[in-house]
Structure formats: C-alpha cells, structure tokens
Amino acid sequence: MAQFGKALTGAACAVMILLAGCSGSDEDQLTQDDRPADQIYADAEQQLDLGNAEEAGQLFDDVERLYPYSSWAKRAMIMSAYAYYQGQQFDKAEQAARRYLDFYPADKDAAYAQYLIGLSYYDQIVDVGRDQELTLKALRALRETELRYPGTEYARQAKLKYDLAMDHLAGKEMEIGRYYLKRHHYLAAINRFRAVVEEYQTTSQTAEALHRLVECYLALGLTDEAQTAGAILGHNFAASDWYQDSYALLTNRGLRPEATGSGWLKSIYDQVVLGRWL
C-alpha cells in the first residue's frame, strides 16, 4: 500500500507538472496576442534587420491579424509582402501584395505592391531552356504596374524589367529556331525567327534572328526573302557581326542586301525603313 501510495503521489505530481506546463504555454500565447501592435511591428522590423525574413513576415502578419483595423495593420501588410520577397518566399509575397491592393488600390504604396507582384514572378525566371510560364506572368504584372501607376518610380523600374523579360522570351524563340536550323528543318526555324522579328523586335535577339532568316531562305532558294532580310539587318544593325556574316553569304552568291519581292519581310521593310504603314 505504501508503494502504491508513492506511485499515486508520483503520478499526481506528473499530472500537475503537465498541467502547469500547458498553463504556461497558454499564458505565453496570451501574452503574445496581448502585445500592442507597435511592439509586434518593431519586433518584425528587428527580425528583418537580422536577416530573418520569414519570421519577420509572420510577425507582420500577426499585426494585421490581431489589429486588423489599425494604421499598423496597413503598414504591416505591405511590409509583410516585402519581408517574404526578401526571404524568396515568392508565393507568400505575391499573396500579401495582392491583399494590400485589394484593400488599398489607390494608396501611395499600391504601385510598389503591384511592382512586388511582378518581381516575385521575375525573380523566378529560369534559363531559356525551360518553360516560360513565369516569364509571361512577370510580363503581365510588370505591364500592369506601368499602366496603372504611370509616372511612378516603380513604373519606370517595371519597364526595365519588362524589357529584360521580353528579351528572355525572344531568347527562347531563338533557341528553338537554332535547334530546327541545325537539323535543316528550315520552315520550322523560319517560324521561330519570324516571331522574334515581328513580336520581339526591340530585343537584343533581333539582329541574329534576321541573319538566321537569311541563312534559312538561302538554304531554301528563296532569294527575295533572303535579300530583304539582309536589307533590314543592314539598315538597323549595319555595324553588327550578324550583318557582316549575312552580307558575306549574299555576296558569295552574287546577291545584294536589298528589299525585293512581296513577302512578309518586304512589308516590314516598307514599314521600318520607308515608313509606309498603310
């Protein structure tokens, strides 16, 4: 019986310790939830300064959750997006930024929130050999920044990122086009190079695309198209190595870079070089 009593006493103590531990946990949680908004916000900023971006984002979220109608909540919402972006948690960054736009579409920080959405996609863009869905999403979000918030610094930054993303997509087209060209699938290659000339003409890929068109059309015996591609290349990129290569290809066959025929390249020549838009 004495031993049984001791065992019972020990079990009771264990239960009391367990309950005390639970009580302490609840008390800690209550203390956390009862902290004022400015203190939680300050802790979040401190974590961000220390490089703990994810923890900072969670604390900013706590401010919004615990004090949803305060001025601190508004500030915490945009800071949450920034913190998650810094921590490369791009999905959370986008969600926080979109939430901010839902609540404050006309606020002074709305342009930044929209720009953060674009950046969250842009920073995930991978090499040109992979799927470009994120590139397209980045382009849409960055364009939205330009259109909705013109004249802001974020619209200007979005334009720069937009141009780089366009160059990325053009690079994808060039990669596929070169793949077909090496295998002598000239029509398939032409379609890719044509897309660069027509849809991505402001990118750094255009000069090579025109040269590759010269190569493809010469291989097919379509000299009018080859000469016209060379003429456009010479007008816009006369100092480039691509033009020198195209010029050599054409002259070696007794041809010159000049606009001739009536194909799609002749239409582009008329528009770009001669200014005939109709």
Side-chain angles (χ1 to χ4, degrees):
M1 287 292 292
Q3 291 180 348
F4 178 76
K6 290 180 180 179
L8 182 59
T9 302
C13 290
V15 171
M16 290 177 66
I17 291 172
L18 180 61
L19 290 174
C22 294
S23 175
S25 177
D26 290 342
E27 184 178 345
D28 289 342
Q29 183 63 42
L30 182 61
T31 303
Q32 166 72 9
D33 287 356
D34 282 350
R35 294 165 65 204
D38 60 337
Q39 188 176 25
I40 303 175
Y41 189 95
D43 286 349
E45 286 187 316
Q46 183 180 28
Q47 291 301 320
L48 194 56
D49 290 340
L50 292 172
N52 302 324
E54 181 178 4
E55 186 170 348
Q58 292 171 351
L59 286 169
F60 284 126
D61 288 345
D62 284 344
V63 175
E64 181 189 351
R65 174 177 60 86
L66 297 171
Y67 302 95
Y69 304 109
S70 68
S71 60
W72 290 103
K74 179 181 177 182
R75 295 164 61 181
M77 197 181 297
I78 191 67
M79 287 301 297
S80 170
Y82 172 74
Y84 285 129
Y85 171 75
Q86 288 297 312
Q88 297 186 338
Q89 298 200 30
F90 299 117
D91 289 344
K92 289 184 177 181
E94 180 202 354
Q95 292 167 9
R98 290 193 185 281
R99 193 164 64 251
Y100 188 89
L101 288 173
D102 288 341
F103 280 95
Y104 310 107
D107 187 74
K108 62 181 180 64
D109 288 325
Y112 179 62
Q114 180 63 48
Y115 181 56
L116 265 182
I117 294 173
L119 282 184
S120 295
Y121 288 127
Y122 181 86
D123 284 4
Q124 296 180 79
I125 294 175
V126 293
D127 62 86
V128 296
R130 298 190 182 183
D131 180 71
Q132 299 302 302
E133 180 182 358
L134 287 170
T135 307
L136 293 172
K137 288 182 176 180
L139 285 169
R140 285 193 289 267
L142 292 168
R143 177 65 77 186
E144 189 73 10
T145 307
E146 292 185 73
L147 295 177
R148 292 179 61 181
Y149 307 100
T152 65
E153 63 172 306
Y154 299 113
R156 291 189 290 272
Q157 292 178 28
K159 176 65 168 61
L160 294 175
K161 288 290 192 296
Y162 183 91
D163 290 343
L164 291 172
M166 286 288 284
D167 202 273
H168 196 85
L169 283 181
K172 177 69 173 181
E173 295 291 342
M174 290 301 300
E175 181 190 52
I176 298 173
R178 286 190 292 266
Y179 173 87
Y180 287 133
L181 178 58
K182 287 180 180 179
R183 287 155 181 78
H184 309 297
H185 301 320
Y186 297 115
L187 292 178
I190 286 170
N191 287 334
R192 296 295 181 165
F193 300 138
R194 176 174 179 172
V196 173
V197 172
E198 291 186 326
E199 300 174 27
Y200 306 104
Q201 65 269 26
T202 61
T203 70
S204 65
Q205 309 291 335
T206 306
E208 183 186 354
L210 286 165
H211 170 69
R212 299 303 180 190
L213 285 169
V214 173
E215 289 184 318
C216 289
Y217 283 128
L218 285 178
L220 293 172
L222 301 174
T223 57
D224 285 352
E225 287 79 359
Q227 288 177 272
T228 305
I232 298 171
L233 181 57
H235 180 269
N236 291 289
F237 308 98
S240 69
D241 291 339
W242 298 117
Y243 178 63
Q244 300 306 317
D245 291 344
S246 288
Y247 186 86
L249 285 175
L250 290 167
T251 55
N252 285 342
R253 299 194 180 201
L255 303 171
R256 292 181 54 81
E258 59 183 355
T260 184
S262 58
W264 68 275
L265 280 166
K266 181 59 165 58
S267 297
I268 289 182
Y269 182 90
D270 290 344
Q271 293 171 4
V272 173
V273 179
L274 303 181
R276 299 172 182 171
W277 295 96
L278 297 175

